Amino acid sequence: MRTLFRRRGGAARQALDLYDIAYLAGGPRRVAQVALITLRERGAIKFIGLRVRALRPAEAADHPVERALIGRCHPVGWDAASAVAEVLSGPEVKRIGARLVSYGLLSRSRRRRTDAGGRALESAEREGTLPAHVFRGLSAVPDKRLRTAVGEAMPIPAGSGGSLIRMGYVLEDDDGDDHGQDAHGGSDSAPGPDWGSHSGSGHASCGSGCGGGGGGD
């Protein structure tokens, strides 16, 4: 799950992992989406109605972002958007951005992708070793209920995208090409039925019970 990028003018090759590439592709929100999908596919979380529960301890996760997401889930249930918002503004995601800036892949001021970052992203996509949703977002997730669950677990953005969600619509992928804005938001929800082990939909919440949106495992 790694791709290599050679720093311009430098001899050392810098390894970019799954979440580095996700950040280059869609910013912090794409990182959160990929973390939710990855944890669910590994059986580390389970979407249940309007909640998503952690099935493994945070220490068992492979990446700091994954550990942070599980660790911010409350055992009695919590709004998923609030959990995700904390991860988006947390040190784990910020360290990804700072590292990509140091590699010259993001601009220092607004964390926008540089020409070198664009080439690194194109190279990673050409390799074909990472899932399509890392590059194209939720629209590339074939499981509609999982797509819905993860989409509704995202903090509601300001503007028209947030308005559509409030009206009951789930956007396929509302992050576009965001490379530095940490979104915040969320609403409390009640738990719903278990969708089973292969799909998810609704608002998710994270943790050994985190309130939020529904889905499937």
Side-chain angles (χ1 to χ4, degrees):
M1 297 290 280
R2 286 184 176 272
T3 186
L4 295 175
F5 164 74
R6 185 183 293 278
R7 289 182 66 178
R8 184 167 49 188
R13 291 174 72 86
Q14 301 294 340
L16 301 180
D17 67 17
L18 171 70
Y19 293 102
D20 295 330
I21 297 299
Y23 198 117
L24 282 176
R29 288 173 65 83
R30 184 68 53 77
V31 170
Q33 289 176 346
V34 170
L36 286 171
I37 294 168
T38 301
L39 288 171
R40 186 262 193 182
E41 289 180 343
R42 291 177 182 168
I45 62 173
K46 180 179 182 180
F47 289 99
I48 304 176
L50 301 180
R51 298 171 183 254
V52 62
R53 291 183 178 175
L55 303 180
R56 298 178 187 174
E59 294 76 15
D62 293 339
H63 192 277
V65 170
E66 297 171 3
R67 292 193 287 272
L69 184 59
I70 294 176
R72 281 165 173 76
C73 298
H74 294 191
V76 294
W78 198 36
D79 173 37
S82 297
V84 171
E86 285 197 22
V87 172
L88 289 176
S89 61
E92 299 82 9
V93 172
K94 289 181 178 178
R95 277 195 289 268
I96 296 175
R99 182 167 61 250
L100 294 175
V101 168
S102 74
Y103 293 169
L105 305 181
L106 294 179
S107 65
R108 292 187 177 277
S109 59
R110 300 189 65 188
R111 296 291 195 268
R112 298 298 178 186
R113 193 169 56 232
T114 64
D115 290 343
R119 290 193 294 271
L121 185 63
E122 291 172 1
S123 176
E125 190 165 13
R126 282 197 303 270
E127 284 185 2
T129 59
L130 300 180
H133 63 260
V134 174
F135 304 97
R136 298 196 292 276
L138 295 182
S139 62
V141 177
D143 185 332
K144 181 178 180 180
R145 291 194 293 183
L146 175 61
R147 188 167 68 238
T148 299
V150 174
E152 292 193 355
M154 292 297 102
I156 296 175
S160 60
S163 299
L164 285 173
I165 293 174
R166 289 186 179 92
M167 291 169 62
Y169 294 96
V170 178
L171 300 183
E172 294 278 323
D173 187 7
D174 62 5
D175 28 59
D177 224 16
D178 176 11
H179 296 284
Q181 298 177 354
D182 295 328
H184 301 270
S187 60
D188 294 331
S189 305
D194 187 346
W195 284 107
S197 60
H198 297 288
S199 57
S201 95
H203 282 284
S205 72
C206 209
S208 299
C210 287
D217 177 359

